[in-house]
Amino acid sequence: MVHSLIFAGMEALLQQIEIYKKEIAEFVLEDKNAAEAFRIKYLGSKGLVKNVMTEIKNIPNEKKKEFGQILNEFKIFAESRFEELKNVTSNQLPETGIQIDLTLPGDQLPLGSRHPLSIVKNKIISIFQRLGFAVAEGPEIEDDWHNFSALNLPEDHPARDMQDTFYISQNPDWMLRTHTSNVQVREMEKGILPIRIICPGRVYRNETVSARAHCFFHQVEGLYISDNVSFADLKQTLYFFVQEMFGQDVKIRFRPSYFPFTEPSAEMDISCLICNGKGCNICKHTGWVEILGCGMVHPNLLENCKIDSGKYSGFAFGMGIERITMLKYQVKDLRLFSENDLRFLKQFTSAV
Ligand code: 2NL
């Protein structure tokens, strides 16, 4: 009887030691004072380890050795844990033991809004993607070949002038691209046909900044090269685009134009969205507003990129994202797009 009571006492003690060991293993440092608090609780003169050690006197002699070993291991366990906790560098810990309730909802972060140019760029991309165009990107610092020469721009073309182009001073062959056509040249050079791409991106021109011009702006150019591509394909593609962009009732017209990289070339107008073609300030009382330039890819360009111009033909177009955005949202001054004035930007919070 006496023996079994002692046995029950030992069992309870062993269980208690296991509970302490678990606590010690899971002990977390909440602040700079926590390691010392640990020492006092477990290793201090009135600590729990001491407390358990005194129990050895109640253990029958024949069990003392076995039990002594368990107690000793427990003491070493607590001491080595204390060494570990001491070594956690104090600057990793908060000054005080403020309890943080991790179940509380987080602070609300103001979400901001997308930039109007991004909204319009994304919309343009998604419309052309539905027609099977892929997005292509390329470098903003470009060499003469990809920005000018491959595009059929003669050596003496005014666009190459220092007045219009930012050249890189270390290397006169390099410049900030003046259009995203460089990406299209790079795609054509890969020689994988057909090509059906749009190239959105930032371009640079040496302009005096005003309400209508900036030294950088954004473009989307498009290129479709295959066998049997005609001007009718160009017209239908761009008609689909403006209907998706501005609404089903919008009308288009083409005016003959000139670009070195296309022949024939045209500028496309849409019926004025403000007055519905009746005439107003926006359309300068013509009923029409210009939105992009386009044409059939000049055979010289195809040959420059080693594409057989007898077998392949294509169309290309280019538009300024700023221009489309100004028309869509009636923005009157180009500089608003790069001034980061929140009173302007916040107006696009609900647009996607
Ligand atoms: C405009 C006019 C245009 C192109 C860009 C192009 C590119 C290649 C070949 C042929 Cl690789 N053409 N691009 C063609 C016609 C017009 O842009 O006013 N853009 C803002």
Side-chain angles (χ1 to χ4, degrees):
M1 197 59 186
V2 171
H3 193 257
S4 73
L5 250 183
I6 290 170
F7 187 69
M10 277 167 59
E11 274 294 286
L13 200 56
L14 283 172
Q15 268 178 23
Q16 193 56 52
I17 289 173
E18 283 311 307
I19 291 169
Y20 288 156
K21 273 167 101 172
K22 194 161 181 281
E23 269 181 23
I24 289 168
E26 290 171 358
F27 190 91
V28 276
L29 288 176
E30 270 162 0
D31 61 55
K32 285 180 175 168
N33 302 324
E36 178 57 8
F38 176 94
R39 194 192 64 75
I40 293 167
K41 180 173 179 188
Y42 293 101
L43 301 168
S45 54
K46 292 183 184 136
L48 293 170
V49 172
K50 267 264 156 60
N51 213 8
V52 179
M53 299 291 263
T54 57
E55 289 297 323
I56 192 92
K57 63 178 188 289
N58 301 325
I59 305 294
N61 279 341
E62 71 273 18
K63 290 266 176 198
K64 270 201 166 63
K65 191 171 175 225
E66 184 193 329
F67 220 85
Q69 214 166 352
I70 292 171
L71 289 174
N72 223 22
E73 270 166 25
F74 172 55
K75 185 171 170 239
I76 291 167
F77 177 70
E79 282 169 346
S80 63
R81 181 79 181 117
F82 176 58
E83 288 304 314
E84 257 176 51
L85 296 172
K86 257 200 327 197
N87 288 337
V88 176
T89 46
S90 54
N91 59 8
Q92 289 173 293
L93 297 170
E95 216 42 71
T96 56
I98 298 167
Q99 296 287 311
I100 302 167
D101 183 352
L102 296 174
T103 65
L104 286 173
D107 290 338
Q108 287 233 335
L109 295 175
L111 253 189
S113 55
R114 224 177 268 299
H115 194 281
L117 294 177
S118 297
I119 296 170
V120 169
K121 179 191 72 179
N122 291 343
K123 184 147 176 87
I124 296 171
I125 290 173
S126 90
I127 294 169
F128 282 105
Q129 277 178 333
R130 277 187 277 148
L131 291 173
F133 284 77
V135 174
E137 286 181 313
E140 290 187 16
I141 297 177
E142 192 50 282
D143 56 36
D144 177 274
W145 172 256
H146 293 98
N147 195 72
F148 288 137
S149 297
L151 286 155
N152 208 29
L153 267 101
E155 285 291 336
D156 57 355
H157 195 277
R160 288 169 176 260
D161 202 323
M162 294 273 285
Q163 308 292 301
D164 299 296
T165 304
F166 291 115
Y167 285 91
I168 308 286
S169 53
Q170 288 92 329
N171 186 340
D173 195 47
W174 289 349
M175 67 205 72
L176 298 182
R177 67 178 178 194
T178 57
H179 40 210
T180 59
S181 311
N182 68 323
V183 183
Q184 289 158 304
V185 172
R186 286 173 179 279
E187 271 324 296
M188 287 195 287
E189 284 176 336
K190 289 181 189 166
I192 305 164
L193 293 150
I195 294 170
R196 205 194 278 131
I197 51 168
I198 50 167
C199 307
R202 183 173 288 174
V203 302
Y204 302 84
R205 293 193 191 164
N206 193 356
E207 301 260 4
T208 309
V209 176
S210 73
R212 312 174 128 263
H214 213 296
C215 55
F216 64 82
F217 59 99
H218 300 80
Q219 253 202 329
V220 176
E221 287 212 8
L223 179 69
Y224 176 31
I225 301 176
S226 188
D227 39 13
N228 281 324
V229 179
S230 72
F231 204 91
D233 298 319
L234 164 68
K235 288 172 90 170
Q236 194 56 44
T237 302
L238 294 178
Y239 187 37
F240 176 81
F241 164 67
V242 293
Q243 283 189 311
E244 292 299 303
M245 192 76 202
F246 298 107
Q248 298 296 301
D249 297 331
V250 71
K251 290 187 266 301
I252 53 169
R253 75 173 184 186
F254 288 83
R255 285 174 292 105
S257 185
Y258 173 79
F259 302 108
F261 19 85
T262 45
E263 181 59 36
S265 304
E267 269 157 314
M268 190 175 91
D269 297 342
I270 56 170
S271 49
C272 181
L273 305 159
I274 309 300
C275 62
N276 242 325
K278 287 181 201 67
C280 68
N281 281 337
I282 302 288
C283 61
K284 299 191 199 85
H285 303 280
T286 63
W288 296 93
V289 281
E290 183 193 322
I291 66 153
L292 56 81
C294 57
M296 302 305 292
V297 178
H298 197 295
N300 287 356
L301 260 83
L302 298 173
E303 296 299 331
N304 283 345
C305 300
K306 307 204 164 46
I307 296 170
D308 183 352
S309 62
K311 187 167 171 218
Y312 290 101
S313 59
F315 68 72
F317 55 87
M319 64 185 107
I321 301 178
E322 277 80 353
R323 188 170 176 78
I324 310 273
T325 310
M326 287 169 105
L327 283 172
K328 197 167 167 67
Y329 293 114
Q330 293 177 51
V331 179
K332 297 279 175 350
D333 191 322
L334 198 61
R335 289 168 292 196
L336 283 165
F337 292 127
S338 50
E339 281 172 344
N340 284 342
D341 186 335
L342 290 180
R343 290 169 303 178
F344 170 66
L345 296 173
K346 276 183 175 163
Q347 295 178 61
F348 299 90
T349 308
S350 59
V352 265

